[in-house]
Amino acid sequence: MGETGKEEYRIQSFDTDTQQLLKTALKDPSSVDLDKVANIIVDQSLQDCVFSKEAGRICYTIIQAESKQFSQSVFRRSLLNPPQALTAAPASPQVNNMPMMALVNPVYDCLFRLAQPDSLCKEEEVDCLVLQLHRIGEQLEKMNSQRMDELFSLLRDGFLLQEGLSSLSQLLLLEIIEFRAADWKMTDAAQKYYYSEVTD
């Protein structure tokens, strides 16, 4: 009885088919279209700010369930893509011209998960983390600078203290730390240092 209670999420506002899709995603992510699940969660978060906290719990559970099945997270990438599209549009009538506001905490939750030691050991996850910070890091910091400070504290610790990081992961972490330190801008010197081999 208690176990069932732990698995209950406030998804009654969805139609029956969507509720079933979310319940399945929570238990067996590999059996559903995770892009569709991510879009449903993001859309609902934009329409209902109260739901955004529940969205964070749902996303975390799906990511945990998927990590038990696979070494990489399809859902995490699917979830992080909608905010990129939202930040390209300067206004959205759904959340008082602040399309990111309802998603700030769920997005931070995903970024914090990518900053954990087991994720930092995987180049593709570090690449995903750094890519998202390049695209939406500045906006996220404006909305919650304390969480950004905490995130970068994790990234600095990972860069300096964690063993087993590949040279590419170390390079990406150092680059994003410097990028933020330069007020979310790429200096000419940093551009030359990090990307000279790409242009040669």
Side-chain angles (χ1 to χ4, degrees), residues 7-26:
E7 294 176 4
E8 286 180 358
Y9 295 85
R10 289 191 281 278
I11 56 176
Q12 292 82 7
S13 56
F14 294 105
D15 61 61
T16 308
D17 289 343
T18 303
Q19 286 185 41
Q20 189 56 49
L21 176 68
L22 292 174
K23 287 177 183 176
T24 305
L26 287 160

Side-chain angles (χ1 to χ4, degrees), residues 66-100:
E66 190 182 18
S67 69
K68 290 176 183 173
Q69 295 178 327
F70 306 104
S71 59
Q72 60 181 5
S73 177
V74 174
F75 179 70
R76 196 179 293 156
R77 288 198 184 92
S78 300
L79 184 68
L80 286 168
N81 282 331
Q84 297 166 21
L86 288 168
T87 55
S92 168
Q94 295 155 311
V95 194
N96 300 324
N97 293 334
M98 297 188 73
M100 280 287 292

Side-chain angles (χ1 to χ4, degrees), residues 42-61:
V42 169
D43 288 345
Q44 185 65 20
S45 295
L46 284 171
Q47 293 169 36
D48 180 4
C49 291
V50 176
F51 175 75
S52 63
K53 185 174 181 181
E54 189 70 2
R57 283 195 338 131
I58 292 170
C59 292
Y60 179 77
T61 302

